[in-house]
Amino acid sequence: MPKPSVTPLSVLDLSPVSAGQTPGEALRSTLGLAAAAEASGYSRYWLAEHHLNTGVAGSAPHVLAGLVASATKTIRVGTAATLLGNYRPLQIAESIGTLAAVFPDRLDLGFGRSGPPKSSSDPAPGVVPPVASAEATDRVVDGLLIPAARPIFGAVLPRKFRLQSELLGRFPGDTDNFENDIQDIIGFFSGEYRTQHGEEVTATPALGESPQFWIHGSTAGPSARLAGKLGLPFGANYHVAPAGVLDSIAEYRAHFEPSVTLQEPHVIVSADVLVAADERQAQRLARGFGQWVRGIRSGQGAIPYPSPEDALERGLDAEAVALVKDRLDTRFVGDPHQVREHLLTLQRVTGAQELLITTIAHDPADRVNSYQLLAEAWGL
């Protein structure tokens, strides 16, 4: 990968639904933001995959990626991440292959490992397990806050998570197929896929133009190790699970083996960001974030993103604050200079080659403005 003059910034979009907004309006806002991000110099526009959340419209990233690619001209478009167990490998290869054929050299395909646990006593793959020690504390590494690990859902997965798995046809232990599924998908694109009986399969239109493959992870677990083993670039989540970001990157680098497409480890690190003209305005626009994260962490699911006024009126009790404190403390909120300095620290401490920015606000115009102000301050 060529080395740019400044660390590239990219966009991670969940297509959040704001209070009073319809899902259609949220999705159209995504298309508008993608065009604005391209004009501002962002390198990639990645789409997340979430299900059964009233506050998130990004449930079909492969479909939405096609719409985003059609609404833009040059920015790379992809998924962060496609949750493999929700599809068969052939389906993914054909869907992304279709987009890669129409929009050559613009598609990224990120793989994520998430699904039901093998047993009721095991944490679900992709879900941060409970804190190992009650004495775990926050720490600061060269200026970057690394908060103590916190369980996302607690000891028992909520009914919504289990219902989601049932509706998507998941079954306990299906994430054990993660490596094989990735190899199969890559094989469909390279033309090297073979059945167990040695039969050659051509997955039109996957054969030909190939996307750039990524693996994303939140812990020093199977995803980080597999990304290293396969010589693929790795996406580390400071925005979802900040406690594990340094460990996951270290695990990836420790297991990295050069591949045909990548000779050295390559990392993109995500961050929650909100920029406004001045710090006071940014803090006002940031008010609803804690309540939004609380919905996710409690198992209720993301709620429609509240307005600053409604968020101030509702507030958060002490229990809710404790549940989301790590996310609040690691969100970079402020004027362009303040946020730029935070991101420079994140890049320096993690050694990331790229940064992935996710920004949520009640008014879509404030999201666009945040990305534009950051792009100018960063020098894109």
Side-chain angles (χ1 to χ4, degrees):
M1 297 181 183
K3 186 175 182 180
S5 57
V6 297
T7 301
L9 298 184
S10 295
V11 176
L12 174 62
D13 189 6
L14 283 66
S15 299
V17 181
S18 296
Q21 189 182 42
T22 68
E25 289 170 334
L27 292 169
R28 286 188 287 274
S29 293
T30 279
L31 302 184
L33 178 59
E38 179 177 74
S40 295
Y42 287 85
S43 298
R44 310 174 192 271
Y45 199 96
W46 285 353
L47 302 158
E49 178 179 341
H50 292 273
H51 301 278
L52 304 185
N53 288 282
T54 58
V56 171
S59 300
H62 304 156
V63 175
L64 191 52
L67 296 173
V68 169
S70 294
T72 54
K73 295 180 180 179
T74 58
I75 195 170
R76 296 192 67 89
V77 180
T79 61
T82 293
L83 305 181
L84 291 193
N86 294 346
Y87 317 85
R88 298 297 298 163
L90 179 60
Q91 292 175 301
I92 297 173
E94 290 178 335
S95 295
I96 298 298
T98 298
L99 299 180
V102 176
F103 305 101
D105 198 30
R106 285 187 61 196
L107 266 292
D108 297 333
L109 175 54
F111 301 118
R113 179 178 177 271
S114 179
K118 291 183 178 180
S119 69
S120 58
S121 61
D122 295 327
V127 173
V128 177
V131 181
S133 170
E135 298 179 356
T137 58
D138 297 351
R139 59 194 175 106
V140 175
V141 179
D142 195 16
L144 181 69
L145 174 63
I146 303 297
R150 290 170 173 80
I152 290 183
F153 296 132
V156 180
L157 286 178
R159 172 59 183 162
K160 188 184 80 68
F161 191 98
R162 298 180 184 278
L163 177 61
Q164 172 183 306
S165 295
E166 294 171 10
L167 293 174
L168 291 171
R170 306 298 298 270
F171 57 88
D174 64 3
T175 52
D176 290 346
N177 298 323
F178 189 59
E179 179 174 357
N180 289 336
D181 285 350
I182 291 177
Q183 296 280 29
D184 286 349
I185 292 168
I186 294 176
F188 284 129
F189 278 98
S190 67
E192 298 175 352
Y193 177 85
R194 300 293 184 273
T195 68
Q196 292 181 342
H197 305 291
E199 298 170 288
E200 182 177 341
V201 176
T202 299
T204 307
L207 186 61
E209 290 288 344
S210 180
Q212 188 178 101
F213 300 109
W214 291 72
I215 294 180
H216 297 266
S218 298
T219 66
S223 296
R225 291 191 288 272
L226 182 60
K229 172 185 173 182
L230 299 181
L232 295 178
F234 179 64
N237 295 325
Y238 186 67
H239 85 288
V240 170
V245 64
L246 296 183
D247 291 339
S248 67
I249 293 172
E251 190 79 354
Y252 163 65
R253 290 178 176 145
H255 288 80
F256 183 83
E257 298 178 16
S259 65
V260 173
T261 57
L262 195 62
Q263 294 300 301
E264 298 179 351
H266 190 96
V267 175
I268 191 169
V269 176
S270 63
D272 276 311
V273 167
L274 183 59
V275 185
D278 58 67
E279 183 180 10
R280 182 176 179 181
Q281 174 72 349
Q283 293 294 345
R284 187 185 76 83
L285 297 177
R287 285 176 189 160
F289 188 69
Q291 294 168 4
W292 189 80
V293 173
R294 177 183 179 275
I296 300 171
R297 287 273 176 98
S298 66
Q300 171 189 352
I303 62 173
Y305 201 88
S307 68
E309 293 72 27
D310 287 345
L312 181 62
E313 183 177 338
R314 295 179 190 176
L316 287 173
D317 59 28
E319 182 180 354
V321 170
L323 186 65
V324 303
K325 187 176 185 301
D326 60 327
R327 295 289 303 276
L328 293 175
D329 290 346
T330 55
R331 192 186 196 200
F332 302 147
V333 177
D335 65 37
H337 174 74
Q338 290 171 318
V339 173
R340 177 180 179 273
E341 291 304 308
H342 285 307
L343 289 173
L344 285 172
T345 297
L346 178 66
Q347 190 277 329
R348 184 186 70 252
V349 176
T350 62
Q353 283 73 34
E354 305 182 42
L355 295 177
L356 183 63
I357 309 302
T358 182
T359 294
I360 300 178
H362 177 262
D363 188 338
D366 290 326
R367 285 216 298 157
V368 172
N369 187 53
S370 177
Y371 279 109
Q372 290 175 335
L373 289 173
L374 177 59
E376 293 170 4
W378 196 255
L380 295 184

